[in-house]
Amino acid sequence: MSAAPIGRERDTADILRIVRNSRSVSLVGAGGIGKTLLAVRVAEAALPHFEHGARFVDLSRASTPEQATAAIGHALGIPESSDASAAEAVAMALRSRSVLLLLDTCEHLTPALGGLCEELLAACPRLHILATGREPLRVGREVVWRVPPLALPPAAPSPSGGPRPEPARSPGEALRHEAVRLFVERATAARPGFRLTPGNTEAVLRICRMLEGVPLALELAAARIRVLSAEQVLERLDDRFRLLAAGADGLPPRQRTMRAALEWSHDLLAPEERVLFRRLAVFCVWTADKVAPVCGFRGLAAGSAERAHAALVDKSLITADTHEDGAVTYRMTETVRAFAAERLAEAGEEDEVWRRMLTTAAPYLEGLASRLTGRVDWEERMFSIRMLDRCLENTLQMLDRAVPLGLVQEGLRICVALRFHWFVRGLQAQARSRLDRLLAVPAARTPVRARAAAVRSELLLPLAGPRGAACAAEDAVQTAVACDDDPAQGIAHTALAMASLRLGDGAAALRHGRRALRLAIASGERLTEICSLGALSQIARSRGDFDSSEVFLTRGIAIGQEMGDRWCVARCLNALGVVSTRRGDMEAAARQLGEALNVFVEMELLPDIARCTAGLGYLDLARGDVSGARRRLSSCLRLSIASGRRLAVARALEALGGLAAAEEQPERAASLAGAGAALRASLGLAAPHAEALRAEAAAVLSEEAAEEAWNAWRALPLEQVVERALFFPAPRRALPSLLTRREREISVLVSKGLSNREIAERLTISQATAARHIANIFRKLLFTSRTQLAEWVQRNGLAP
């Protein structure tokens, strides 16, 4: 909640030392004590000590271990798929990475979360976990740090047992203590003219002591300095504490302190502020424009909501966060939100507020989806994507409430409107689970229901494989035909095209792809049009028809550019780069893949980055740049591991197998292919590319030797396979075919002892061009000296 941390320097330094030397550390303490802020400060200080950085995971909204695992995966950028369970994907992504995982607000998930952490720590030797909660995780060798309150001045003894007067202290002496500094800083923010003076120092000290140095309680009290003096704040706090003590609350002392501060702040709110305060408990994160539509009803006029909202910000019950893109969002700390939720339940308004949230979100998100299908600048489009990212937890909670509240139609509308976002951010599993529940409710066939079923069939392709997706898409087509809804039919036929292609039925794939494109054009569904063009391009490429594939992708790029959607353009450019590589247009491929990669990196889309990097690796290999291919394909394997997707890892291993075959290392090629095929087999998938590499190796080796190499790595743990895959032996033989005609010509001149200047004069080129050619030759052949090159020229008979 604090705008900036106060004190805690010694705590931060001490915990940092522990985190570096202990793999599981838990910061434990009551609500409002400052656990999260302290953990974040430690994580920031620890960044230089962890090669792959730190990841913050907010678990306050996770109610099951499965949701906690999904939250961790989302923080790591792991998309959801059927490749592995969420826990397996997280373990795979972290297995070889040096990461500090900050798990915030864990207390409601123990001991199940402790079991997950035990598994991750055992599987990932470079992982360190820093957790916050009201109790430890109770994992092996866990170090528990009980977060203390902010430092207070020592109290004066009171032999009589009555109220203890504060010893006379100057403002300067009082400000040496963290609790006082925090109170004064926040009070000054609330009322810029506030100062600690000899006249109010005693009252401030008594406030800090009464609130036991709990940071959140101090901030709530300091916010009241806006309208009250320090003495008045002290008097009202004292009244609240007596009332709470008389009620025999039964809470632990520090939690009783926090509740007293919250109840005191709440009691001082104006009636409309109290109403808004409790209703805001349904939000995890919100923007100012959502307040009145959701909360502005009975007891709170919509026109008054903005004023009440500003007052809650002023009183530190709401925190405003300004993001790098200029967006401002609001939130409550978990302690304050839990208190507000209690008030909402007491008022009996919980269902009503959730109902308003769903009924206002559906048209808003439909409007956003409609706007994004038109011409929208990329900056605005990215702004919308980031806002959807920030509000994702709210969206998922809304969808979970839709069935109990009888608002299935609104839930389906939201799922359809968010179709683009589900795919961009790899949220297929979370979207599918909500659609499953919504579509399971019996209802008449409607266009919205047809479109939701069609979107579900799209989502199933990476989750349930081609057969499951095809079955769902056929059902969606039937519903769409019954409703006469062309947009739903277009989506479903696109899913059928891709499923048929993966099942090996090219004719059916082409039929469904063409049908999808006609329907998308007729209904004006631009996203479906791009998707159907992408499917048709893949179908054409599978037949070796690169001309048609290029035509489809070029049309997709034009639509994406017209919309201002660089993500759609980048997806098409990535595929077009692969086509250009296969057609031998290396310059076009480099440009297309490079442009696509820039977009994927900007959007932090790990699977797309890995796929594009593989394309660049194949391009390097086609150019004969062995060094570049090694670097790119190694990066692709590392990125695939980090994505937690076994299928992506299998593809990366097969790509490295292709590189090994090009380097005339058939045993290594067969071993890499065998490891990739084993991963595919674990997913129930065939491995045609790996089998082709195996056959290629068998043509060079004996059948028995190829079989032995094929099986050599299949039973190894994945980390050993990766370690071997990333260790490159010296090439058996550098091939002349790796060089262009001009490079072979220059190699011969180098072997004759000519200098760069002499080569330039002989060939009528600049000396810089000659030097650049020689550098390319060295990179391709992995040589480091002219002597090596001269010996290679003689060995391969290139010299006349």
Side-chain angles (χ1 to χ4, degrees):
M1 186 169 203
S2 302
I6 299 291
R8 301 287 198 197
E9 291 83 1
R10 177 173 293 180
D11 288 343
T12 301
D14 290 344
I15 298 169
L16 175 60
R17 283 193 293 272
I18 295 171
V19 165
R20 290 174 59 187
N21 295 298
S22 303
R23 298 187 57 214
S24 177
V25 179
S26 289
L27 306 187
V28 176
I33 201 68
K35 301 182 293 294
T36 299
L37 183 58
L38 179 57
V40 168
R41 291 184 67 181
V42 171
E44 290 172 348
L47 286 176
H49 307 289
F50 291 90
E51 180 184 352
H52 300 103
R55 294 291 184 276
F56 179 89
V57 186
D58 180 4
L59 298 177
S60 61
R61 281 76 164 177
S63 58
T64 66
E66 291 74 23
Q67 290 177 1
T69 308
I72 295 171
H74 188 63
L76 293 169
I78 301 172
E80 299 160 336
S81 73
S82 61
D83 287 8
S85 69
E88 290 171 335
V90 168
M92 180 187 295
L94 292 173
R95 186 167 282 128
S96 61
R97 297 167 76 184
S98 170
V99 172
L100 175 62
L101 199 59
L102 200 173
L103 305 179
D104 188 50
T105 315
C106 301
E107 60 269 8
H108 59 300
L109 293 168
T110 54
L113 184 61
L116 172 64
C117 291
E118 290 268 24
E119 294 174 11
L120 291 177
L121 290 168
C124 311
R126 303 173 70 195
L127 171 67
H128 288 232
I129 293 175
L130 175 61
T132 75
R134 299 189 184 185
E135 59 182 285
L137 288 177
R138 297 181 176 86
V139 304
R141 300 184 180 179
E142 176 185 24
V143 176
V144 177
W145 177 283
R146 300 202 175 273
V147 178
L150 294 177
L152 293 160
S158 178
S160 65
R164 294 176 294 190
E166 287 293 337
R169 286 189 175 92
S170 68
E173 289 176 320
L175 285 169
R176 287 202 291 265
H177 301 279
E178 295 172 341
V180 177
R181 291 208 306 276
L182 175 63
F183 182 90
V184 170
E185 180 174 304
R186 299 301 186 260
T188 303
R191 178 157 58 90
F194 179 81
R195 295 289 182 273
L196 195 64
T197 66
N200 64 17
T201 295
E202 180 179 345
V204 169
L205 287 171
R206 289 184 62 189
I207 291 169
C208 293
R209 193 177 315 289
M210 181 176 291
L211 297 177
E212 297 185 296
V214 175
L216 179 55
L218 290 168
E219 295 197 17
L220 293 173
R224 289 296 174 179
I225 294 295
R226 180 184 179 94
V227 292
L228 300 173
S229 68
E231 291 78 9
Q232 289 171 320
V233 168
L234 175 61
E235 180 183 354
R236 286 158 175 75
L237 265 178
D238 194 38
D239 290 343
R240 165 52 58 188
F241 269 66
R242 286 201 197 95
L243 180 62
L244 188 62
D249 189 82
L251 289 171
R254 194 149 287 131
Q255 291 186 35
R256 191 157 57 242
T257 296
M258 190 64 249
R259 177 167 289 275
L262 281 168
E263 290 188 352
W264 170 74
S265 290
H266 180 263
D267 289 349
L268 291 176
L269 296 177
E272 288 184 335
E273 294 167 5
R274 292 186 196 179
V275 172
L276 180 60
F277 173 70
R278 66 176 181 256
R279 291 174 183 171
L280 288 172
V282 300
F283 288 102
C284 305
V285 173
W286 68 91
T287 51
D289 60 312
K290 303 297 187 299
V291 174
V294 174
C295 303
F297 62 99
R298 188 181 61 256
L300 177 64
S304 304
E306 182 178 349
R307 184 175 61 254
H309 190 262
L312 294 175
V313 173
D314 286 342
K315 293 163 185 174
S316 292
L317 288 164
I318 293 174
T319 298
D321 295 316
T322 302
H323 302 274
E324 291 181 2
D325 57 6
V328 178
T329 59
Y330 299 89
R331 61 182 170 84
M332 294 177 179
T333 68
E334 192 55 31
T335 302
V336 174
R337 185 170 182 243
F339 181 83
E342 290 179 10
R343 305 287 80 77
L344 183 64
E346 289 172 0
E349 295 178 335
E350 193 172 5
D351 285 353
E352 189 170 2
V353 179
W354 278 109
R355 187 174 288 108
R356 290 179 66 89
M357 182 180 281
L358 274 156
T359 55
T360 56
Y364 169 78
L365 291 171
E366 286 174 334
L368 177 62
S370 176
R371 188 166 75 254
L372 292 180
T373 59
R375 173 69 194 181
V376 175
D377 290 340
W378 178 242
E379 290 74 17
E380 181 182 344
R381 193 175 293 273
M382 276 304 301
F383 184 89
S384 298
I385 291 172
R386 293 192 186 102
M387 287 304 299
L388 291 173
D389 291 342
R390 291 166 190 144
C391 297
L392 176 62
E393 287 301 325
N394 267 128
T395 302
L396 296 177
Q397 289 187 28
M398 271 196 300
L399 293 173
D400 289 339
R401 298 266 180 165
V403 172
L405 291 174
L407 295 175
V408 172
Q409 187 83 346
E410 285 73 11
L412 292 174
R413 290 167 61 191
I414 290 169
C415 287
V416 173
L418 289 172
R419 175 190 175 202
F420 175 79
H421 192 245
W422 300 136
F423 283 97
V424 170
R425 289 307 190 201
L427 297 166
Q428 288 93 334
Q430 296 195 48
R432 180 245 180 120
S433 67
R434 271 72 186 181
L435 277 168
D436 284 350
R437 288 197 291 272
L438 291 163
L439 290 170
V441 178
R445 292 175 171 178
T446 62
V448 168
R449 196 171 183 87
R451 294 182 198 186
V455 170
R456 178 178 177 272
S457 70
E458 278 187 313
L459 296 167
L460 282 173
L461 197 59
L463 296 173
R467 295 192 187 280
C471 182
E474 291 284 6
D475 290 343
V477 168
Q478 292 180 16
T479 304
V481 170
C483 300
D484 193 25
D485 191 79
D486 285 352
Q489 287 191 62
I491 297 170
H493 278 291
T494 302
L496 279 168
M498 291 304 302
S500 299
L501 179 61
R502 294 191 185 184
L503 290 170
D505 190 346
L510 184 59
R511 184 174 67 254
H512 288 300
R514 287 172 172 170
R515 175 72 172 151
L517 181 58
R518 287 195 298 271
L519 288 162
I521 293 173
S523 59
E525 291 287 329
R526 310 306 299 277
L527 178 58
T528 303
E529 187 176 353
I530 293 174
C531 292
S532 61
L533 287 167
L536 287 167
S537 76
Q538 289 192 45
I539 295 164
R541 194 172 75 196
S542 72
R543 302 196 312 265
D545 183 358
F546 298 129
D547 288 343
S548 295
S549 184
E550 181 177 355
V551 168
F552 291 130
L553 291 169
T554 302
R555 284 177 61 184
I557 290 170
I559 296 169
Q561 288 174 336
E562 182 184 335
M563 295 166 60
D565 190 336
R566 291 179 59 195
W567 181 74
C568 286
V569 171
R571 297 269 289 189
C572 293
L573 281 172
N574 189 18
L576 191 56
V578 174
V579 172
S580 297
T581 299
R582 294 190 180 181
R583 299 181 70 178
D585 191 348
M586 306 305 177
E587 290 186 9
R591 183 181 67 256
Q592 292 153 355
L593 291 168
E595 289 179 20
L597 184 61
N598 288 337
V599 175
F600 297 149
V601 169
E602 177 189 352
M603 298 182 73
E604 300 179 336
L605 301 175
L606 203 57
D608 286 332
I609 294 170
R611 192 175 297 113
C612 194
T613 302
L616 288 165
Y618 281 118
L619 173 61
D620 285 335
L621 188 57
R623 285 170 159 173
D625 184 354
V626 174
S627 177
R630 284 183 170 188
R631 185 177 66 255
R632 298 278 196 188
L633 295 179
S634 296
S635 178
C636 174
L637 178 56
R638 293 188 182 96
L639 289 165
S640 299
I641 288 289
S643 76
R645 304 181 77 171
R646 282 185 284 173
L647 182 55
V649 175
R651 289 179 181 140
L653 291 171
E654 291 164 358
L656 286 166
L659 172 61
E663 291 186 276
E664 290 194 345
Q665 295 172 346
E667 297 97 336
R668 175 177 168 83
S671 295
L672 285 160
L679 281 174
R680 286 182 181 269
S682 71
L683 301 170
L685 299 174
H689 186 198
E691 292 287 355
L693 287 170
R694 178 186 187 180
E696 188 177 336
V700 178
L701 308 168
S702 66
E703 187 66 42
E704 294 76 17
E707 180 71 15
E708 183 179 351
W710 172 267
N711 291 316
W713 296 6
R714 289 170 67 89
L716 295 176
L718 183 59
E719 53 265 32
Q720 289 188 29
V721 172
V722 172
E723 184 179 347
R724 294 186 181 197
L726 295 177
F727 174 76
F728 292 96
R732 176 166 294 173
R733 185 161 63 89
L735 304 178
S737 60
L738 295 175
L739 304 184
T740 65
R741 182 186 60 79
R742 173 66 74 167
E743 288 169 346
R744 288 197 295 273
E745 186 179 8
I746 290 175
S747 297
V748 171
L749 296 178
V750 169
S751 73
K752 293 181 177 180
L754 272 66
S755 67
N756 288 1
R757 181 179 58 78
E758 292 168 332
I759 292 172
E761 291 173 353
R762 178 78 63 91
L763 300 178
T764 319
I765 58 178
S766 71
Q767 192 169 334
T769 300
R772 188 166 60 251
H773 278 303
I774 292 172
N776 286 338
I777 293 166
F778 281 10
R779 187 177 68 254
K780 287 183 177 183
L781 302 181
L782 304 180
F783 290 163
T784 57
S785 71
R786 297 170 91 94
T787 301
Q788 283 179 300
L789 180 57
E791 292 173 351
W792 178 82
V793 167
Q794 294 300 322
R795 190 166 58 249
N796 285 278
L798 297 184

